[in-house]
């Protein structure tokens, strides 16, 4: 698997075997019991025989990073204030854009394959093991890695033998395939599993949005339900067919489920050990004053290294007049080979953002079920008010609402254009009416968010007309031959799902309910003269129940009203049937 971040160090087979045993032993020693939600953890993740026999894999069974999560719990999450950050909280930090890609993929799979139950933490666990979260989040604003992430060529020399399948299009190698990108797909797998996760019209394995969505679909194939341990085992093993890999991914999955937090892009911790004995990622980005677990400071050595050895411990303190061993004094100047501090990286566009400003959004209002006619526009600015391009802005719909962005998602991430403006996807109003809040934040920065208020009103109609013109008449004590049907529109368009009320009233000037004349029947056959809870159908039509008449004759009024103020009054006539006049009698014959 994993990307080669520094010089590749080749170690013997014995070293590799010892490392594998150590991973398995540490996995077992750290394995927790079943958690509050009843999920099995790494201790229980013994693959079934059919899972172990899985053929092929997403990565071509390439090498992967073997670093285990720390024993220290990731909770509580670190605060934004000063102070040291422990190993647990440092490892729990996931770069902002990478984390956004995982969560967006989970949301897409929840819509496309709800029975899969894919948790974004599984994508994070695989992303950690495969590429150290895209080299600690070294990605551009659109999610593409700053440099391609490539595994070793699969030439059969210590790895699988997979000859070139893409003519070097993805991995630049026209002889053998190599695993590519943050999720380490081999080209032959990407050819059918690739997805466009950031809607730019391309399927790029080096883009974390594309790769995360592809990994989600890959893990959800075969109708697997990842809430079931057996299917979860099969899915992980299909990614890389190794029991050690399964146990390791399960460890990271449980670790991330306990808690994680967002860190700026490019500052995530990087792994240091690989399953093939190769070198880990170097250098590892760190926060000021924080030493990443597994790293050393200048002048120190790691076990098994060939660096300088510590001075021997004296047998006893030096006595006056000689004898004993003298304790060496620390050097007054640093060694000549002390590495100079790395140069400070120039600030990214995200680093220069001071705040977000509204970019002329205007009033946001829509009826339930309709699209909002305005879209949210946000501008990223420096402290001096200068626009900042190529910054990712995340729009999140918060609160108890079923309003979504186009496509059914509640979160959308958009990069600012050359004018520093990010335009959110169109909002689609749900059926819940009331206020809706959309919060804009800068991905990768802990800056105050900018809230937009939107309003969802009930469905309405501004016009009602009868669909027919047949007279509505009835004999006393009888039933009207025709039923009343009306059509509702709003600004000339069909008004579907609009609430309506039908009432038999006393007169045009007195809208109170009459106590005589025509009537409806309820479910029990009782007389009612007001119907509530009516709604127009998908075509804006409303057909009322049958009408009946008592013995009172005359002209009566039926009034129909809708939300939005549309009103229609219909005349009903109850009259006795006319009798035929007798024919004139013949006169006397002549």
């Amino acid at each position: 698997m994993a990307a080669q971040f520094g010089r590749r160090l080749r170690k013997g087979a014995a070293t590799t075997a010892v490392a594998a045993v150590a991973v398995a032993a540490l996995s077992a020693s750290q394995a927790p019991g079943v958690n509050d939600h009843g999920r099995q953890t790494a201790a229980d993740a013994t693959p079934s025989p059919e899972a172990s026999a899985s053929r092929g894999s997403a990565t071509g069974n390439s090498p992967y990073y073997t670093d285990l999560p720390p024993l220290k719990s990731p909770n509580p999450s670190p605060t934004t204030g000063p102070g040291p950050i422990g190993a647990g909280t440092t490892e729990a930090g996931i770069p902002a854009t990478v984390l956004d890609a995982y969560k967006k993929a989970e949301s897409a799979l929840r819509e496309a394959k709800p029975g899969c139950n894919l948790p974004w933490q599984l994508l994070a666990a695989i992303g950690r093991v495969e590429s150290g979260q895209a080299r600690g989040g070294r990605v551009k604003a659109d999610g593409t890695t700053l440099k391609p992430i490539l595994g070793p060529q699969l030439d059969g020399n210590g790895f699988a033998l997979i000859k070139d399948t893409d003519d070097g299009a993805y991995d630049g190698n026209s002889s053998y395939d190599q695993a590519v990108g943050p999720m380490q797909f081999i080209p032959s797998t990407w050819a059918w599993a690739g997805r466009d996760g950031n809607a730019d019209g391309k399927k790029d394995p080096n883009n974390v949005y594309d790769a995360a969505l592809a990994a989600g679909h890959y893990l959800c194939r075969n109708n697997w339900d990842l809430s079931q341990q057996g299917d979860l085992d099969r899915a992980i093993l299909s990614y890389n067919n190794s029991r050690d890999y399964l146990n390791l991914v399960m460890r990271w999955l449980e670790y991330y489920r306990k808690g994680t937090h967002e860190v700026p892009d490019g500052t995530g911790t990087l792994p240091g050990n690989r399953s093939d004995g190769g070198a880990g990622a170097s250098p590892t980005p760190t926060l000021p004053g924080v030493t990443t677990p597994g790293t050393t400071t200048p002048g120190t050595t790691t076990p098994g290294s060939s660096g300088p050895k510590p001075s021997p411990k004296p047998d006893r303190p030096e006595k006056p007049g000689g004898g004993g061993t003298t304790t060496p004094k620390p050097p007054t100047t640093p060694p000549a080979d002390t590495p100079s501090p790395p140069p400070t990286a120039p600030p990214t566009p995200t680093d220069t953002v001071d705040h977000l400003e509204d970019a002329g959004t205007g009033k946001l209002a829509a009826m339930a079920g309709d699209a909002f006619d305005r879209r949210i526009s946000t501008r990223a600015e420096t402290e001096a008010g200068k626009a900042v391009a190529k910054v990712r802005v995340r729009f999140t719909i918060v609160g108890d609402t079923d309003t979504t962005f186009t496509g059914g998602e509640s979160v959308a991430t958009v990069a600012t254009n050359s004018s520093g403006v990010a335009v959110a996807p169109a909002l689609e109003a749900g059926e819940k009416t009331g206020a809706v809040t959309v919060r804009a934040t800068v991905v990768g920065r802990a800056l105050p968010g900018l809230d937009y208020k939107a309003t969802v009103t009930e469905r309405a109609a501004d016009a009602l007309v009868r669909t027919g013109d047949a007279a509505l008449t009835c004999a006393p004590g009888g039933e009207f031959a025709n039923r009343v049907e009306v059509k509702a529109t709003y600004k000339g368009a069909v008004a579907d799902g609009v609430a309506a009320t039908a009432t038999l009233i006393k007169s045009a000037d007195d809208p109170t309910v009459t106590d005589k004349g025509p009537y409806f029947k309820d479910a029990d056959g009782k007389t009612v003269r007001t119907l509530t809870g009516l709604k127009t159908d998908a075509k804006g039509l409303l057909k009322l129940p049958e009408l009946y008449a008592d013995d009172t004759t005359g002209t009566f009024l039926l009034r129909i009203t809708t939300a939005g103020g549309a009103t229609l009054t219909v005349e009903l006539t109850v009259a006795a049937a006319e009798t035929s006049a007798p024919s004139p009698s013949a006169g006397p014959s002549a």
Side-chain angles (χ1 to χ4, degrees):
M1 126 43 256
Q4 301 179 62
F5 296 120
R7 180 172 56 90
R8 181 177 177 187
L9 302 179
R10 300 292 297 176
K11 297 184 180 180
T15 303
T16 304
V18 171
V21 172
V23 169
L26 286 172
S27 296
S29 68
Q30 296 186 48
V34 176
N35 64 16
D36 294 339
H37 303 287
R39 292 189 295 262
Q40 282 184 295
T41 57
D44 307 305
T46 300
S48 58
E50 60 271 30
S52 298
S54 173
R55 293 183 178 181
S57 70
T59 68
N61 296 328
S62 294
Y64 54 89
Y65 288 119
T66 59
D67 297 53
L68 286 162
L71 291 171
K72 184 174 181 180
S73 171
N75 285 320
S77 296
T79 62
T80 56
I85 299 176
T89 55
T90 301
E91 295 290 342
I94 299 178
T97 299
V98 180
L99 181 60
D100 184 58
Y102 295 151
K103 291 185 175 181
K104 190 170 183 180
E106 179 197 54
S107 178
L109 266 298
R110 189 185 305 120
E111 179 74 20
K113 297 182 178 180
C116 177
N117 296 306
L118 171 79
W120 66 260
Q121 291 92 340
L122 176 59
L123 297 176
I126 292 176
R128 168 71 192 196
V129 170
E130 293 294 346
S131 69
Q133 311 297 19
R135 288 177 173 158
R138 295 184 180 184
V139 296
K140 301 176 184 177
D142 67 351
T144 303
T145 58
L146 298 180
K147 294 181 180 180
I149 301 177
L150 298 174
Q153 69 175 12
L154 301 174
D155 56 6
N157 184 19
F159 312 115
L161 173 60
I162 304 179
K163 293 186 177 181
D164 176 63
T165 61
D166 65 330
D167 198 24
Y170 294 120
D171 54 16
N173 189 335
S174 58
S175 298
Y176 301 96
D177 273 351
Q178 295 175 246
V180 182
M183 304 303 281
Q184 288 290 278
F185 280 96
I186 55 174
S188 58
T189 303
W190 184 260
W192 61 265
R195 294 291 191 278
D196 178 12
N198 61 349
D200 64 353
K202 298 182 295 183
K203 299 177 182 179
D204 182 3
N206 281 303
N207 182 282
V208 70
Y209 285 95
D210 294 359
L213 183 60
H217 278 278
Y218 185 91
L219 294 164
C220 285
R221 72 195 194 286
N222 298 330
N223 293 320
W224 282 330
D225 178 359
L226 303 186
S227 66
Q228 302 298 316
Q229 189 65 45
D231 282 356
L232 180 59
D233 291 349
R234 295 179 183 91
I236 296 173
L237 285 168
S238 75
Y239 213 89
N240 192 311
N241 191 17
S242 161
R243 182 173 298 185
D244 288 338
Y245 182 88
L246 168 63
N247 289 337
L248 183 60
V249 169
M250 284 298 301
R251 289 301 312 145
W252 281 105
L253 169 60
E254 292 303 319
Y255 181 75
Y256 286 137
R257 274 174 164 162
K258 292 176 183 176
T260 187
H261 57 278
E262 180 182 288
V263 298
D265 290 343
T267 64
T269 59
L270 301 181
N273 301 287
R274 211 168 65 184
S275 62
D276 66 338
S282 178
T284 300
T286 58
L287 298 176
V290 178
T291 300
T292 303
T295 62
T296 59
T297 56
T300 64
T301 60
T302 57
S305 70
S306 58
K309 301 294 189 296
S311 300
K313 183 178 179 180
D315 295 330
R316 59 184 180 275
E318 182 182 8
K319 296 181 180 180
T325 305
T326 303
T327 302
K329 295 181 180 180
T332 56
T333 58
D337 60 350
T338 300
S340 58
T344 303
T348 65
T350 301
D351 295 331
T352 67
V353 178
D354 177 74
H355 59 275
L356 295 175
E357 287 286 344
D358 177 43
T361 299
K363 184 179 180 180
L364 295 167
M367 287 194 303
D370 288 352
F372 285 73
D373 57 1
R374 292 178 178 271
R375 294 168 65 179
I376 296 173
S377 297
T378 301
R379 184 171 56 251
E381 296 183 354
T382 64
E383 186 176 5
K386 183 179 178 181
V388 185
K390 298 181 179 179
V391 172
R392 297 192 70 79
V393 176
R394 180 183 298 134
F395 298 95
T396 305
I397 301 173
V398 299
D400 182 18
T401 179
D402 55 357
T403 292
T404 65
F405 292 113
T406 301
E409 296 187 4
S410 59
V411 179
T413 305
V414 182
T416 57
N417 59 21
S418 58
S419 301
V421 176
V423 181
L427 284 167
E428 299 278 354
E431 295 302 320
K432 291 183 179 180
T433 60
V436 176
T437 300
V438 180
R439 181 165 300 148
T441 56
V442 178
V443 175
R445 290 292 305 280
L447 297 174
L450 180 61
D451 284 355
Y452 292 83
K453 299 297 182 181
T455 303
V456 178
T457 59
E458 64 179 334
R459 295 172 184 255
D462 57 12
L464 280 174
V465 295
R466 279 190 65 194
T467 59
D469 56 5
L472 299 169
T473 61
C474 179
E479 178 180 347
F480 284 80
N482 299 307
R483 291 170 62 182
V484 178
E485 183 181 68
V486 297
K487 182 175 183 178
T489 56
Y490 183 79
K491 295 182 179 180
V494 168
D496 61 312
V498 177
T501 299
T503 307
L504 291 153
I505 61 176
K506 290 182 177 180
S507 68
D509 298 326
D510 186 357
T512 56
V513 182
T514 185
D515 57 357
K516 57 185 177 180
Y519 61 90
F520 299 104
K521 291 182 180 180
D522 63 13
D524 297 326
K526 296 180 180 179
T527 298
V528 292
R529 290 189 167 91
T530 297
L531 296 177
T532 59
L534 304 173
K535 278 192 175 182
T536 59
D537 65 14
K539 297 180 180 180
L541 300 177
L542 173 63
K543 194 169 188 177
L544 299 183
E546 291 84 354
L547 274 165
Y548 304 88
D550 60 15
D551 294 333
T552 308
T553 60
T555 299
F556 302 90
L557 299 180
L558 170 66
R559 180 162 292 173
I560 305 169
T561 59
T562 68
T567 301
L568 177 66
T569 302
V570 180
E571 286 191 356
L572 306 173
T573 302
V574 179
E578 295 183 0
T579 57
S580 300
S583 58
S585 58
S589 57

